[in-house]
Amino acid sequence: MRNIDLVIIGGGAAGMAAAVSARKNGIEDILIIERNSYVGGVLSQCIHNGFGLHRFSEDMTGVEFARRYRLMVEEMNIPVMLNSFVIEMNDKREITVINPEEGLVRICAKAIVLAMGCRERTRNNLLIPGVRGAGILTAGTAQKYVNINGYLPGKRVVILGSGDIGLIMARQFVMEGVEVKAVVEIMPYSSGLPRNMKQCIEDFDIPVYFSSTVTDIKGKERVSSVTVAKVDENRRAIPGTEFEIECDTLMISAGLIPENELTEQAGILIAPETRGAIVTEDYQTSADGVFACGNVLHVHDLVDFVSEEAEEAGRCAAQYLLGESAADSDIIIVKNGNGAGGVVPQKIRRSSLEGQGVTLMFRPKNKYKDVKIVCESGEKLIHSQNGFALTPGEMIRMDIPCDKLKEAADEITVMIKEAENER
């Protein structure tokens, strides 16, 4: 059994940011465990810009963003265990790792930061019927094929879903000479950032079918066409609305799922709204000394906020190890109200309410204009802020001062109060 003060599972933006922050806050014995042969995660295949504007005040590619943190890790001499897969974790902070060099390795950690990221929804998750021929892949896989392996996955592409990776790949496909036949989205609005819809879809005149889905895939050895149908308010295909689009590739960009198999294995409580761990304001899970941050906690819209959250989780993990954490005390439960989806954190300890404030994050459940984002405790207004144009593709951040939270009862509810709703 190897004893380590702080183990960070995952070497993407969240894992590296947490490690750097923990080192800056006084923790020397740190280990990052990464299953790939390199750190950086999916950022290593993101050659488009738009990263770093919030965190570094620079317009960077994903590759450059990852390199910035990798250099910090190297300069601080933080050990990284590459090609290593965590196969077991329990609530005693005992980890079993397997890798080609050492075989089976058992580690006992004084604290753990979960930073495993997320994965894409596949055809199997969406239960799409039809043939099993070649030409069906996720947006992230297509991105890797083009940017890492250097070849195109198809010549005529239909994109199912309007997630950000899919929108960005639509633009890249067009620039590479691929015909993007359509984007098919089951919701009446895009699930991606508005800027990506504008710059990647509208600017290239790519057809978009909202409130629609793919109901069948045709072709023998390779996809030859897909059947698209309109859906009702329950997202079920409406008979008689079907039409066919010829294509040789179906790229799926239908959302992301936090990689929480290890979290569940350790018996850590999971929030059904986010599919990530339930955490307190310091990102600590229901397991003592186990913290979670980034996309494994809740799927973010920008990697800048992933790294910002991870730096805070790393700082809190350091405080825990140094015995400086706030003592357990009465808990304020954070609930999802009208229009608010998956508020994080889900719990706030009253003993922590001595700092500047607590940041709550969530995604709107619909598109809204000119609304109020409010936090209430019973009938008492705790905090409010204006929301001029909200979309499910953008994370909402609500910074609530501690003095206001001290006035709350045992529960607070975050909600959107509509002045006008755009559907």
Side-chain angles (χ1 to χ4, degrees):
M1 180 74 74
R2 190 181 302 177
N3 295 302
I4 295 173
D5 285 349
L6 178 60
V7 171
I8 296 170
I9 304 177
M16 291 191 290
V20 167
S21 179
R23 174 60 60 82
K24 288 180 178 179
N25 283 278
I27 305 303
E28 294 296 324
D29 188 18
I30 302 173
L31 176 65
I32 299 174
I33 301 174
E34 170 55 49
R35 64 186 177 187
N36 290 319
S37 59
Y38 53 86
V39 293
V42 73
L43 291 175
S44 301
Q45 64 191 46
C46 295
I47 65 172
H48 57 281
N49 64 344
F51 299 85
L53 293 168
H54 296 273
R55 178 61 186 84
F56 298 114
S57 299
E58 296 180 32
D59 189 9
M60 312 165 73
T61 66
V63 178
E64 291 169 330
F65 190 95
R67 182 175 183 271
R68 182 70 61 91
Y69 272 107
R70 177 174 58 80
L71 291 176
M72 293 184 200
V73 169
E74 292 174 354
E75 288 169 1
M76 294 180 179
N77 294 315
I78 298 174
V80 181
M81 184 185 286
L82 297 173
N83 299 307
S84 300
F85 200 90
V86 179
I87 58 174
E88 286 184 1
M89 181 180 75
N90 61 33
D91 58 359
K92 298 177 182 178
R93 301 186 296 276
E94 295 172 341
I95 302 169
T96 303
V97 185
I98 190 167
N99 66 41
E101 288 75 27
E102 301 174 84
L104 207 63
V105 181
R106 296 196 67 203
I107 299 171
C108 183
K110 292 181 181 178
I112 296 172
V113 174
L114 305 176
M116 294 89 74
C118 57
R119 65 176 182 269
E120 296 177 278
R121 284 190 173 90
T122 66
R123 172 189 181 161
N124 290 336
N125 296 126
L126 302 176
L127 303 175
I128 304 173
V131 299
R132 299 282 167 177
I136 306 169
L137 73 171
T138 63
T141 300
Q143 187 180 57
K144 184 175 181 179
Y145 283 167
V146 176
N147 297 339
I148 301 295
N149 302 118
Y151 63 88
L152 296 172
K155 296 179 179 179
R156 296 172 298 149
V157 179
V158 169
I159 300 174
L160 176 59
S162 58
D164 287 309
I165 302 175
L167 301 181
I168 290 164
M169 285 309 299
R171 175 178 61 184
Q172 189 167 357
F173 277 144
V174 172
M175 297 175 71
E176 296 286 354
V178 174
E179 183 182 6
V180 180
K181 306 283 286 190
V183 173
V184 180
E185 169 57 56
I186 197 168
M187 301 301 291
Y189 47 77
S190 170
S191 59
L193 289 168
R195 74 182 188 198
N196 286 333
M197 276 298 294
K198 177 68 173 68
Q199 297 172 3
C200 302
I201 304 300
E202 295 173 14
D203 287 356
F204 289 88
D205 296 323
I206 296 172
V208 181
Y209 298 98
F210 289 115
S211 300
S212 303
T213 191
V214 171
T215 59
D216 193 17
I217 303 172
K218 298 179 180 178
K220 190 174 181 182
E221 295 183 356
R222 186 177 180 97
V223 174
S224 62
S225 67
V226 296
T227 302
V228 176
K230 298 290 287 184
V231 298
D232 58 22
E233 62 275 8
N234 297 313
R235 303 179 199 173
R236 295 174 181 168
I238 302 172
T241 64
E242 300 90 352
F243 62 96
E244 197 165 320
I245 303 176
E246 293 185 357
C247 60
D248 62 13
T249 303
L250 176 64
M251 188 179 76
I252 299 171
S253 181
L256 303 167
I257 305 170
E259 292 269 19
N260 268 306
E261 287 74 17
L262 285 175
T263 313
E264 293 175 328
Q265 187 184 85
I268 292 170
L269 297 179
I270 299 292
E273 299 89 358
T274 61
R275 302 184 71 170
I278 293 174
V279 295
T280 49
E281 79 294 333
D282 63 346
Y283 300 104
Q284 188 166 189
T285 69
S286 59
D288 183 52
V290 180
F291 300 77
C293 59
N295 286 337
V296 78
L297 177 61
H298 54 150
V299 177
H300 288 64
D301 51 351
L302 297 175
V303 73
D304 296 66
F305 298 145
V306 167
S307 59
E308 180 182 298
E309 180 177 277
E311 287 179 1
E312 182 63 12
R315 184 188 69 81
C316 293
Q319 285 186 326
Y320 172 87
L321 289 168
L322 296 172
E324 300 172 357
S325 295
D328 288 337
S329 62
D330 293 338
I331 296 291
I332 301 173
I333 302 297
V334 183
K335 301 183 71 175
N336 302 296
N338 177 65
V343 182
V344 174
Q346 294 87 357
K347 297 181 179 180
I348 300 171
R349 297 170 301 163
R350 290 192 184 274
S351 59
S352 70
L353 299 180
E354 299 300 331
Q356 294 182 346
V358 174
T359 299
L360 302 180
M361 301 179 69
F362 70 93
R363 285 183 185 270
K365 290 184 176 179
N366 210 321
K367 293 180 72 174
Y368 302 94
K369 275 188 176 181
D370 300 322
V371 294
K372 285 282 187 182
I373 305 162
V374 302
C375 174
E376 296 181 350
S377 180
E379 299 296 320
K380 184 179 181 61
L381 176 65
I382 301 300
H383 188 66
S384 71
Q385 64 189 51
N386 291 324
F388 298 107
L390 311 184
T391 70
E394 289 187 278
M395 192 81 77
I396 302 300
R397 297 161 62 89
M398 174 179 269
D399 299 317
I400 307 180
C402 284
D403 58 344
K404 292 189 176 182
L405 283 169
K406 288 178 181 178
E407 301 173 3
D410 293 339
E411 291 184 354
I412 59 174
T413 303
V414 178
M415 67 189 79
I416 297 172
K417 291 196 170 181
E418 305 177 47
E420 178 181 349
N421 184 277
E422 179 186 303
R423 295 186 182 275

